[in-house]
Amino acid sequence: MNSEIFEKLPPTKLFFRCAIPSMITMVFGALYQIADGLFVGRFIGEDALAAVNLIMPIIMIVFSFSNMIATGSSVRIAVLLGEKNREEASCVFSFTVKVIFILSCIIGIAGLFFAEPLVKFFSPEATPQAVEYGVTYIRIYAVFSPLVPMYFATDNFLRICGKEKLSMWLGISSQLLNIILDTILIAFLDQGIWAAAFTSCFAMALGSIITLCLFRKKRLDLYYIGKNIPFRVFFGILANGSSEFFSNIAMSVMAIAYNFFLLKYGGTTAVAAFSVIMYVDSIIGILLFGMCDALQPAISYCYGAGMMEKVKAIFKRIIVSAVFLSVLSMLFMMFAGRYIAPLFIEPENIELLAISIAGMELFSVSYLTGWVDMCFSSYFTALELPIRSLLTSFFGTLVFPIVFLFILTPIWQLDGVWLTSIAASTASAILTVSFALTAKIKSNSSF
């Protein structure tokens, strides 16, 4: 079994074995997002850049349902493999694939019919052109919805099977295909916003099909099996994935809230500036997420195998790496952001450039504490502590940001939006550490 590397490799070697391929994949993913933003901002315009930012929370809310099931099942599968129960692990895997596919089809049909009212509801002060772009973008995603959410779920399952490098190369290939298609359709053929959505969806759908085929004929530790899982197990999967689900929902809700305040204090230009900051942030935040996400199966497997000392050793390496990356990230955005921002902005749009750079300089400070809730939430989930993980996400991604958004924006207006991230991440870090210090790790239970 390839998953036995989680048990056999020493903590440091295991950390690099899991983290490096995932982080490389995430870097390429961030580069793809940057390229996507560059094509949209430079070749389509400010309204298109704002439209993508306005509708992305809606898309992420849709993805959060499948992500909840995929994350919760990934933890259970890794624990079962740690207990040497391959058949039951494959049962959970197969059931998860079926549920995500059916759910995605239902959501896709709804997206085709309700795209326009959704966009208008969540962005009431956006320009008509931005609304039109947003509707087109959502409808393209709706067409591909049966396969796009599966892309992220199957990537988790590959890494659980110890296929980190295969996962990495599939991810890089998908992202390179996306960039190539963006270049052809947007830069050369001038196809507009529909092409930006199509290239992303097509690349992910193709990646899903390839990955799903890899699990056939018992070639990996997980394989397709017709047996269903007990209701209590599925309920446990939903409970354990609830923190990631709520985190995605909360981040989407917060993005919508940010957009309301950005439109209020700076109009569509401020929303476009926020898009630029998020594109630069994608380089940084995705590295931390990739590291935590990559080590989650290893922690769950070792937990299932009763190797708690190794669990603690792995997590210590995650914390040290997170601190290093966060300091480096703050310095990068603070000093290099001004040179990256112009890539996404039409040369004559000086106002947008100035707002983007000012926002980056303030936003960058949030990296000093922003890593805490991300690392610990992932850790709590890996150990099947859904309540602590859920509360960490609840306060870190919704409660504290909402509170500080309403406190700071009346005082500093647009700057208050950027300062919110600093205040919220600091308050969340303090609360999260208190959760960690009081956590009691229970012995694992079998299927």
Side-chain angles (χ1 to χ4, degrees):
M1 291 173 61
N2 291 304
S3 58
E4 288 181 350
I5 61 167
F6 300 141
E7 185 174 344
K8 295 177 180 178
L9 292 180
T12 300
K13 190 171 183 179
L14 180 61
F15 174 84
F16 286 109
R17 167 73 182 262
C18 294
I20 297 302
S22 178
M23 293 172 74
I24 291 174
T25 305
M26 293 298 178
V27 167
F28 271 85
L31 291 175
Y32 139 66
Q33 289 182 13
I34 289 172
D36 201 49
L38 188 151
F39 284 116
V40 170
R42 294 294 290 261
F43 292 97
I44 307 177
E46 181 182 306
D47 280 326
L49 194 62
V52 173
N53 188 64
L54 289 169
I55 58 90
M56 197 52 65
I58 302 173
I59 292 175
M60 294 311 298
I61 287 173
V62 171
F63 280 3
S64 64
F65 289 96
S66 59
N67 187 56
M68 171 179 61
I69 300 169
T71 301
S73 64
S74 295
V75 172
R76 185 89 289 260
I77 288 168
V79 170
L80 287 168
L81 289 176
E83 296 172 350
K84 313 299 188 219
N85 198 338
R86 185 185 177 195
E87 183 177 348
E88 296 297 350
S90 296
C91 182
V92 175
F93 157 74
S94 302
F95 185 81
T96 299
V97 169
K98 288 187 288 187
V99 170
I100 291 176
F101 180 79
I102 294 170
L103 180 63
S104 299
C105 289
I106 295 171
I107 292 174
I109 293 171
L112 285 173
F113 288 100
F114 298 104
E116 187 171 350
L118 275 173
V119 174
K120 288 182 177 179
F121 177 78
F122 287 115
S123 51
E125 297 184 48
T127 63
Q129 184 65 72
V131 171
E132 182 181 341
Y133 283 150
V135 171
T136 301
Y137 207 93
I138 286 180
R139 284 177 175 162
I140 296 295
Y141 263 83
V143 171
F144 283 91
S145 63
L147 287 173
V148 170
M150 197 71 71
Y151 177 80
F152 302 100
T154 52
D155 179 65
N156 281 344
F157 299 142
L158 273 181
R159 285 186 280 107
I160 291 173
C161 292
K163 296 294 184 181
E164 298 86 3
K165 290 184 179 179
L166 178 57
S167 170
M168 177 186 74
W169 287 115
L170 283 171
I172 291 173
S173 300
S174 297
Q175 290 144 13
L176 287 176
L177 174 62
N178 199 336
I179 293 173
I180 292 170
L181 291 175
D182 270 342
T183 304
I184 296 171
L185 293 177
I186 299 176
F188 291 151
L189 300 181
D190 194 26
Q191 288 299 299
I193 196 69
W194 79 267
F198 172 81
T199 55
S200 298
C201 292
F202 179 79
M204 287 188 283
L206 183 60
S208 295
I209 293 171
I210 293 172
T211 310
L212 287 169
C213 291
L214 293 174
F215 291 99
R216 296 175 65 245
K217 299 181 180 179
K218 298 187 179 182
R219 287 174 289 199
L220 300 176
D221 290 343
L222 299 174
Y223 52 88
Y224 299 114
I225 188 171
K227 180 182 175 183
N228 288 323
I229 62 176
F231 177 77
R232 63 177 180 82
V233 175
F234 183 62
F235 181 78
I237 286 171
L238 296 180
N240 206 39
S242 62
S243 60
E244 276 66 26
F245 169 75
F246 185 82
S247 179
N248 288 331
I249 292 290
M251 285 190 291
S252 299
V253 171
M254 277 310 305
I256 293 168
Y258 272 118
N259 287 335
F260 273 116
F261 281 90
L262 289 166
L263 287 168
K264 179 178 179 180
Y265 292 113
T268 304
T269 301
V271 176
F274 188 67
S275 298
V276 173
I277 295 172
M278 290 300 100
Y279 279 123
V280 178
D281 174 67
S282 67
I283 306 173
I284 300 161
I286 207 72
L287 286 173
L288 287 173
F289 174 80
M291 179 181 66
C292 295
D293 192 51
L295 271 301
Q296 194 177 83
I299 292 174
S300 295
Y301 183 99
C302 293
Y303 171 63
M307 305 169 64
M308 285 307 301
E309 289 303 316
K310 192 167 187 177
V311 167
K312 294 175 183 177
I314 295 170
F315 190 58
K316 285 179 182 177
R317 285 154 178 78
I318 292 175
I319 291 177
V320 171
S321 301
V323 172
F324 174 77
L325 284 173
S326 297
V327 173
L328 201 63
S329 299
M330 181 192 71
L331 296 175
F332 174 80
M333 180 174 276
M334 188 175 289
F335 297 107
R338 64 178 59 248
Y339 302 106
I340 298 175
L343 297 174
F344 303 92
I345 300 169
E346 294 167 310
E348 65 274 10
N349 201 335
I350 299 174
E351 181 187 6
L352 177 56
L353 180 61
I355 293 175
S356 300
I357 293 173
M360 283 182 190
E361 291 175 351
L362 291 174
F363 184 87
S364 63
V365 181
S366 66
Y367 288 121
L368 290 178
T369 52
W371 63 271
V372 178
D373 57 359
M374 182 183 295
C375 290
F376 278 93
S377 178
S378 178
Y379 181 65
F380 294 147
T381 297
L383 298 183
E384 297 188 302
L385 295 172
I387 300 300
R388 273 178 165 73
S389 184
L390 179 61
L391 289 174
T392 298
S393 297
F394 178 69
F395 283 94
T397 57
L398 187 62
V399 175
F400 289 132
I402 286 286
V403 169
F404 286 110
L405 197 59
F406 277 94
I407 292 174
L408 299 179
T409 51
I411 302 172
W412 287 291
Q413 298 186 346
L414 190 56
D415 283 345
V417 177
W418 318 130
L419 291 170
T420 291
S421 60
I422 303 172
S425 63
T426 302
S428 179
I430 294 171
L431 182 65
T432 301
V433 170
S434 71
F435 286 157
L437 293 175
T438 57
K440 293 181 181 180
I441 310 301
K442 299 180 180 180
S443 59
N444 58 78
S445 57
S446 62
F447 188 79

Tab-separated table of all heavy atoms in Angstrom, residues 364-399:
chain	number	residue	atom	x	y	z
A	364	SER	N	-0.832	43.350	3.887
A	364	SER	CA	0.311	42.448	4.075
A	364	SER	C	0.600	42.146	5.542
A	364	SER	O	1.068	41.052	5.877
A	364	SER	CB	1.563	43.043	3.429
A	364	SER	OG	1.928	44.260	4.057
A	365	VAL	N	0.311	43.091	6.441
A	365	VAL	CA	0.607	42.895	7.865
A	365	VAL	C	-0.207	41.746	8.450
A	365	VAL	O	0.216	41.094	9.416
A	365	VAL	CB	0.342	44.204	8.656
A	365	VAL	CG1	0.678	44.031	10.134
A	365	VAL	CG2	1.169	45.345	8.067
A	366	SER	N	-1.351	41.442	7.860
A	366	SER	CA	-2.220	40.380	8.380
A	366	SER	C	-1.572	39.005	8.296
A	366	SER	O	-1.984	38.067	8.992
A	366	SER	CB	-3.559	40.361	7.627
A	366	SER	OG	-3.373	40.004	6.271
A	367	TYR	N	-0.525	38.850	7.471
A	367	TYR	CA	0.133	37.551	7.352
A	367	TYR	C	0.846	37.129	8.633
A	367	TYR	O	1.085	35.932	8.844
A	367	TYR	CB	1.143	37.570	6.197
A	367	TYR	CG	0.494	37.593	4.840
A	367	TYR	CD1	0.749	38.624	3.949
A	367	TYR	CD2	-0.397	36.593	4.452
A	367	TYR	CE1	0.157	38.664	2.702
A	367	TYR	CE2	-1.008	36.627	3.209
A	367	TYR	CZ	-0.723	37.666	2.338
A	367	TYR	OH	-1.335	37.702	1.113
A	368	LEU	N	1.189	38.077	9.474
A	368	LEU	CA	1.909	37.744	10.698
A	368	LEU	C	1.102	36.825	11.614
A	368	LEU	O	1.665	35.994	12.336
A	368	LEU	CB	2.290	39.024	11.451
A	368	LEU	CG	3.384	39.890	10.797
A	368	LEU	CD1	3.628	41.144	11.620
A	368	LEU	CD2	4.677	39.092	10.645
A	369	THR	N	-0.209	36.970	11.601
A	369	THR	CA	-1.065	36.116	12.444
A	369	THR	C	-2.072	35.295	11.637
A	369	THR	O	-2.731	34.422	12.195
A	369	THR	CB	-1.844	36.983	13.459
A	369	THR	OG1	-2.525	38.042	12.754
A	369	THR	CG2	-0.897	37.594	14.481
A	370	GLY	N	-2.176	35.560	10.350
A	370	GLY	CA	-3.189	34.894	9.530
A	370	GLY	C	-2.991	33.393	9.371
A	370	GLY	O	-3.935	32.673	9.044
A	371	TRP	N	-1.773	32.909	9.611
A	371	TRP	CA	-1.488	31.492	9.446
A	371	TRP	C	-2.064	30.627	10.564
A	371	TRP	O	-2.276	29.421	10.381
A	371	TRP	CB	0.035	31.272	9.397
A	371	TRP	CG	0.747	31.671	10.666
A	371	TRP	CD1	1.245	32.906	10.966
A	371	TRP	CD2	1.008	30.841	11.794
A	371	TRP	NE1	1.809	32.913	12.210
A	371	TRP	CE2	1.690	31.649	12.743
A	371	TRP	CE3	0.758	29.520	12.110
A	371	TRP	CZ2	2.099	31.161	13.986
A	371	TRP	CZ3	1.160	29.019	13.342
A	371	TRP	CH2	1.830	29.834	14.256
A	372	VAL	N	-2.324	31.217	11.730
A	372	VAL	CA	-2.648	30.434	12.927
A	372	VAL	C	-3.931	29.629	12.755
A	372	VAL	O	-3.949	28.396	12.930
A	372	VAL	CB	-2.751	31.344	14.171
A	372	VAL	CG1	-3.141	30.508	15.400
A	372	VAL	CG2	-1.430	32.057	14.419
A	373	ASP	N	-5.041	30.291	12.431
A	373	ASP	CA	-6.311	29.559	12.347
A	373	ASP	C	-6.329	28.578	11.181
A	373	ASP	O	-6.952	27.517	11.262
A	373	ASP	CB	-7.515	30.502	12.306
A	373	ASP	CG	-7.464	31.496	11.172
A	373	ASP	OD1	-6.479	31.481	10.419
A	373	ASP	OD2	-8.416	32.295	11.052
A	374	MET	N	-5.612	28.886	10.092
A	374	MET	CA	-5.557	27.962	8.966
A	374	MET	C	-4.875	26.650	9.361
A	374	MET	O	-5.377	25.559	9.090
A	374	MET	CB	-4.808	28.585	7.785
A	374	MET	CG	-4.750	27.695	6.556
A	374	MET	SD	-3.785	28.399	5.200
A	374	MET	CE	-4.776	29.830	4.788
A	375	CYS	N	-3.727	26.745	10.028
A	375	CYS	CA	-2.983	25.544	10.428
A	375	CYS	C	-3.735	24.732	11.472
A	375	CYS	O	-3.846	23.506	11.371
A	375	CYS	CB	-1.609	25.937	10.974
A	375	CYS	SG	-0.473	26.567	9.729
A	376	PHE	N	-4.276	25.412	12.479
A	376	PHE	CA	-4.937	24.688	13.570
A	376	PHE	C	-6.288	24.131	13.148
A	376	PHE	O	-6.697	23.065	13.617
A	376	PHE	CB	-5.072	25.584	14.796
A	376	PHE	CG	-3.827	25.644	15.633
A	376	PHE	CD1	-2.888	26.631	15.424
A	376	PHE	CD2	-3.583	24.697	16.611
A	376	PHE	CE1	-1.722	26.690	16.181
A	376	PHE	CE2	-2.427	24.737	17.382
A	376	PHE	CZ	-1.491	25.739	17.167
A	377	SER	N	-7.001	24.825	12.277
A	377	SER	CA	-8.276	24.295	11.794
A	377	SER	C	-8.048	22.994	11.036
A	377	SER	O	-8.789	22.016	11.207
A	377	SER	CB	-8.969	25.321	10.896
A	377	SER	OG	-10.181	24.810	10.393
A	378	SER	N	-7.017	22.966	10.200
A	378	SER	CA	-6.667	21.753	9.465
A	378	SER	C	-6.261	20.634	10.416
A	378	SER	O	-6.627	19.470	10.231
A	378	SER	CB	-5.522	22.053	8.489
A	378	SER	OG	-5.130	20.892	7.799
A	379	TYR	N	-5.522	20.990	11.455
A	379	TYR	CA	-5.065	20.020	12.455
A	379	TYR	C	-6.258	19.426	13.214
A	379	TYR	O	-6.342	18.207	13.401
A	379	TYR	CB	-4.118	20.726	13.420
A	379	TYR	CG	-3.536	19.851	14.511
A	379	TYR	CD1	-2.679	18.796	14.214
A	379	TYR	CD2	-3.830	20.100	15.847
A	379	TYR	CE1	-2.128	18.010	15.213
A	379	TYR	CE2	-3.282	19.322	16.858
A	379	TYR	CZ	-2.432	18.282	16.533
A	379	TYR	OH	-1.890	17.500	17.531
A	380	PHE	N	-7.178	20.280	13.643
A	380	PHE	CA	-8.365	19.801	14.350
A	380	PHE	C	-9.186	18.862	13.467
A	380	PHE	O	-9.689	17.827	13.920
A	380	PHE	CB	-9.241	20.976	14.798
A	380	PHE	CG	-8.609	21.859	15.836
A	380	PHE	CD1	-8.877	23.220	15.864
A	380	PHE	CD2	-7.747	21.338	16.784
A	380	PHE	CE1	-8.311	24.044	16.826
A	380	PHE	CE2	-7.164	22.156	17.750
A	380	PHE	CZ	-7.443	23.505	17.766
A	381	THR	N	-9.330	19.218	12.193
A	381	THR	CA	-10.088	18.370	11.265
A	381	THR	C	-9.421	17.013	11.092
A	381	THR	O	-10.079	15.982	11.085
A	381	THR	CB	-10.213	19.062	9.895
A	381	THR	OG1	-10.952	20.280	10.043
A	381	THR	CG2	-10.945	18.173	8.894
A	382	ALA	N	-8.090	17.015	10.948
A	382	ALA	CA	-7.343	15.775	10.747
A	382	ALA	C	-7.499	14.818	11.915
A	382	ALA	O	-7.450	13.591	11.750
A	382	ALA	CB	-5.864	16.076	10.517
A	383	LEU	N	-7.693	15.355	13.130
A	383	LEU	CA	-7.847	14.536	14.327
A	383	LEU	C	-9.309	14.285	14.672
A	383	LEU	O	-9.626	13.848	15.767
A	383	LEU	CB	-7.141	15.202	15.513
A	383	LEU	CG	-5.625	15.381	15.381
A	383	LEU	CD1	-5.052	15.987	16.645
A	383	LEU	CD2	-4.947	14.061	15.075
A	384	GLU	N	-10.190	14.602	13.735
A	384	GLU	CA	-11.634	14.411	13.915
A	384	GLU	C	-12.147	15.147	15.153
A	384	GLU	O	-12.848	14.595	15.997
A	384	GLU	CB	-11.975	12.919	13.973
A	384	GLU	CG	-11.646	12.185	12.669
A	384	GLU	CD	-12.137	10.754	12.628
A	384	GLU	OE1	-11.740	9.973	13.508
A	384	GLU	OE2	-12.920	10.416	11.708
A	385	LEU	N	-11.780	16.423	15.232
A	385	LEU	CA	-12.284	17.330	16.265
A	385	LEU	C	-13.092	18.425	15.575
A	385	LEU	O	-12.677	19.588	15.498
A	385	LEU	CB	-11.117	17.946	17.059
A	385	LEU	CG	-10.265	16.976	17.892
A	385	LEU	CD1	-9.038	17.690	18.449
A	385	LEU	CD2	-11.097	16.380	19.032
A	386	PRO	N	-14.267	18.088	15.036
A	386	PRO	CA	-15.012	19.020	14.196
A	386	PRO	C	-15.490	20.280	14.913
A	386	PRO	O	-15.594	21.340	14.290
A	386	PRO	CB	-16.191	18.184	13.688
A	386	PRO	CG	-16.347	17.092	14.694
A	386	PRO	CD	-14.965	16.795	15.180
A	387	ILE	N	-15.810	20.182	16.204
A	387	ILE	CA	-16.331	21.355	16.912
A	387	ILE	C	-15.270	22.446	17.009
A	387	ILE	O	-15.537	23.619	16.707
A	387	ILE	CB	-16.824	20.971	18.324
A	387	ILE	CG1	-17.948	19.906	18.226
A	387	ILE	CG2	-17.327	22.209	19.062
A	387	ILE	CD1	-19.152	20.357	17.450
A	388	ARG	N	-14.061	22.054	17.415
A	388	ARG	CA	-12.986	23.042	17.513
A	388	ARG	C	-12.620	23.608	16.136
A	388	ARG	O	-12.367	24.797	15.984
A	388	ARG	CB	-11.756	22.420	18.185
A	388	ARG	CG	-11.801	22.516	19.702
A	388	ARG	CD	-10.590	21.855	20.344
A	388	ARG	NE	-10.455	22.257	21.740
A	388	ARG	CZ	-11.216	21.849	22.731
A	388	ARG	NH1	-12.193	21.014	22.462
A	388	ARG	NH2	-11.033	22.267	23.966
A	389	SER	N	-12.597	22.740	15.151
A	389	SER	CA	-12.289	23.198	13.802
A	389	SER	C	-13.362	24.163	13.300
A	389	SER	O	-13.068	25.194	12.680
A	389	SER	CB	-12.171	21.997	12.859
A	389	SER	OG	-11.786	22.393	11.578
A	390	LEU	N	-14.628	23.826	13.582
A	390	LEU	CA	-15.747	24.673	13.163
A	390	LEU	C	-15.705	26.031	13.848
A	390	LEU	O	-15.886	27.073	13.205
A	390	LEU	CB	-17.068	23.969	13.458
A	390	LEU	CG	-18.352	24.732	13.105
A	390	LEU	CD1	-18.397	25.015	11.618
A	390	LEU	CD2	-19.579	23.934	13.538
A	391	LEU	N	-15.451	26.041	15.164
A	391	LEU	CA	-15.400	27.306	15.896
A	391	LEU	C	-14.230	28.171	15.434
A	391	LEU	O	-14.339	29.401	15.343
A	391	LEU	CB	-15.289	27.037	17.404
A	391	LEU	CG	-16.555	26.482	18.072
A	391	LEU	CD1	-16.281	26.129	19.526
A	391	LEU	CD2	-17.707	27.485	17.977
A	392	THR	N	-13.102	27.520	15.140
A	392	THR	CA	-11.951	28.249	14.620
A	392	THR	C	-12.302	28.949	13.314
A	392	THR	O	-12.013	30.133	13.115
A	392	THR	CB	-10.765	27.292	14.392
A	392	THR	OG1	-10.378	26.715	15.639
A	392	THR	CG2	-9.579	28.024	13.796
A	393	SER	N	-12.965	28.214	12.416
A	393	SER	CA	-13.384	28.794	11.142
A	393	SER	C	-14.464	29.859	11.341
A	393	SER	O	-14.442	30.903	10.687
A	393	SER	CB	-13.911	27.694	10.217
A	393	SER	OG	-12.907	26.772	9.915
A	394	PHE	N	-15.402	29.582	12.239
A	394	PHE	CA	-16.532	30.487	12.466
A	394	PHE	C	-16.058	31.871	12.907
A	394	PHE	O	-16.466	32.896	12.344
A	394	PHE	CB	-17.452	29.880	13.522
A	394	PHE	CG	-18.637	30.742	13.879
A	394	PHE	CD1	-19.652	30.956	12.975
A	394	PHE	CD2	-18.725	31.344	15.127
A	394	PHE	CE1	-20.741	31.748	13.291
A	394	PHE	CE2	-19.813	32.140	15.466
A	394	PHE	CZ	-20.821	32.336	14.543
A	395	PHE	N	-15.174	31.899	13.903
A	395	PHE	CA	-14.700	33.187	14.398
A	395	PHE	C	-13.654	33.812	13.470
A	395	PHE	O	-13.649	35.028	13.262
A	395	PHE	CB	-14.114	33.026	15.811
A	395	PHE	CG	-15.157	32.905	16.878
A	395	PHE	CD1	-15.593	31.662	17.306
A	395	PHE	CD2	-15.725	34.042	17.435
A	395	PHE	CE1	-16.573	31.547	18.289
A	395	PHE	CE2	-16.710	33.946	18.417
A	395	PHE	CZ	-17.130	32.693	18.846
A	396	GLY	N	-12.779	32.973	12.903
A	396	GLY	CA	-11.704	33.510	12.077
A	396	GLY	C	-12.139	34.046	10.737
A	396	GLY	O	-11.582	35.029	10.249
A	397	THR	N	-13.138	33.417	10.138
A	397	THR	CA	-13.539	33.823	8.792
A	397	THR	C	-14.831	34.626	8.730
A	397	THR	O	-15.148	35.184	7.680
A	397	THR	CB	-13.689	32.585	7.880
A	397	THR	OG1	-14.631	31.680	8.462
A	397	THR	CG2	-12.365	31.875	7.705
A	398	LEU	N	-15.581	34.682	9.843
A	398	LEU	CA	-16.848	35.413	9.792
A	398	LEU	C	-17.029	36.405	10.936
A	398	LEU	O	-17.159	37.612	10.696
A	398	LEU	CB	-18.017	34.420	9.774
A	398	LEU	CG	-19.399	35.036	9.563
A	398	LEU	CD1	-19.467	35.717	8.203
A	398	LEU	CD2	-20.490	33.971	9.666
A	399	VAL	N	-17.026	35.912	12.179
A	399	VAL	CA	-17.370	36.774	13.309
A	399	VAL	C	-16.413	37.957	13.431
A	399	VAL	O	-16.824	39.121	13.421
A	399	VAL	CB	-17.392	35.972	14.635
A	399	VAL	CG1	-17.619	36.915	15.817
A	399	VAL	CG2	-18.482	34.914	14.588
